[in-house]
Structures are given as structure tokens and as C-alpha cells.
Amino acid sequence: MHTSVNRQTVDLSSYPDLVVVYLGMRVNRLYGMRTLMGYGPQIGRSAADKPEGLLQHEPLLWSLFPMHVGIRQYWQDLPSLLSWARSEPHRLWWRNFLRDSGGTGFWHETYLLRGGMEAVYDDIPKQQGFAAFAPVHPARGPLFGSAARVGRPEDNLAPVVSEEELYTQESAHGVAPGR
């Protein structure tokens, strides 16, 4: 058989701990465009700064209506991703978003070459990704932080924002816990 297709593949043997994460922000209400436009450039600049362990950062467009944009990132290993997630400015973005999603929804799904997957969906009105076929549970207790959800106890660091910090502060401000 003859083909004109230039088929290629990759050798990932130099990346045994590779982590791929897909992230998305969906505009749920018109004022969510402002939130999206506020975070987007900041996230782009952060990736351009080449945090340690980030191998590739690719912007994605999931849909125009509703506006739903995303990112695919490749990380050298889970500790690099978790370290960056706990540093500034990511920690501040995440804390602020969890206090008020600003008319948007956010989700991420993480896949580890060595095994393990995890996801979180915050203010996403339509089940998608893993949530479209797997049982959905509140991200509370042992399911609160991504390191615990992925099932890698050796990398089980404290969440970016603690459950106690999030729900204690929300309750103090009159916001009902429930995310």
C-alpha cells in the first residue's frame, strides 16, 4: 500500500513522569467575559515565564457560544505542577476564583503517564469530560485537593487553598459553602 501521509510519533522515554493537564474556563453569564479577559492574559504571561517543569503550554478554544476557552499543558512531573500551583500568582488566582467565580465556570482534568487521573469542575453547568460518564461527588474532604484525588500519596501535598480556609472564610462572609 502507498500513502502520502507523513506519519510520526514521539519517544516519551525521557519523560517517565509526564503529566498532561487540560483546563477550561466557560462564560456562564455575560459579566463572565470580564472575568475571562482578566485571567486570560495573566495566565499567558505566567506560562511565558517558563515555570520550572512546564514543557509546553497551548491555548485552546472549546467553543464560541458559550465562550469556552482552555489550555493544554505538559509538565515534566507532578511535583513541578503542584509546586507551581502553590506559588504566586496561581495560588492567588485560585483563591479568588473559589471565593467568586465571576460569572464563569472552571474545570481541569489531569492525566499522569505513570498512572492516575483526576478532575474538578467548578460552576460548570453541563456535565463534561469525566463528569459526563462517571459519578460526580462534592469536592470535599479527601476529594478536595488535586494531589489526593489523583491517588499519589507520595505527592499528596496540601491543597492550594485549604478546605478550612475556603469554607470558613466563605461562611464568615455569608456565602453558603457548597462548591
Side-chain angles (χ1 to χ4, degrees), residues 25-36 39 96-105 123 179:
M25 183 173 266
R26 181 187 189 278
V27 173
N28 293 332
R29 292 172 192 75
L30 189 55
Y31 67 90
M33 285 298 292
R34 183 182 62 176
T35 303
L36 177 65
Y39 280 115
N96 291 343
F97 177 85
L98 288 175
R99 287 183 178 159
D100 180 358
S101 63
T104 67
D123 284 350
R179 281 194 203 138

Side-chain angles (χ1 to χ4, degrees), residues 26 124-128:
R26 181 187 189 278
I124 297 294
K126 181 179 180 243
Q127 304 292 16
Q128 63 180 53

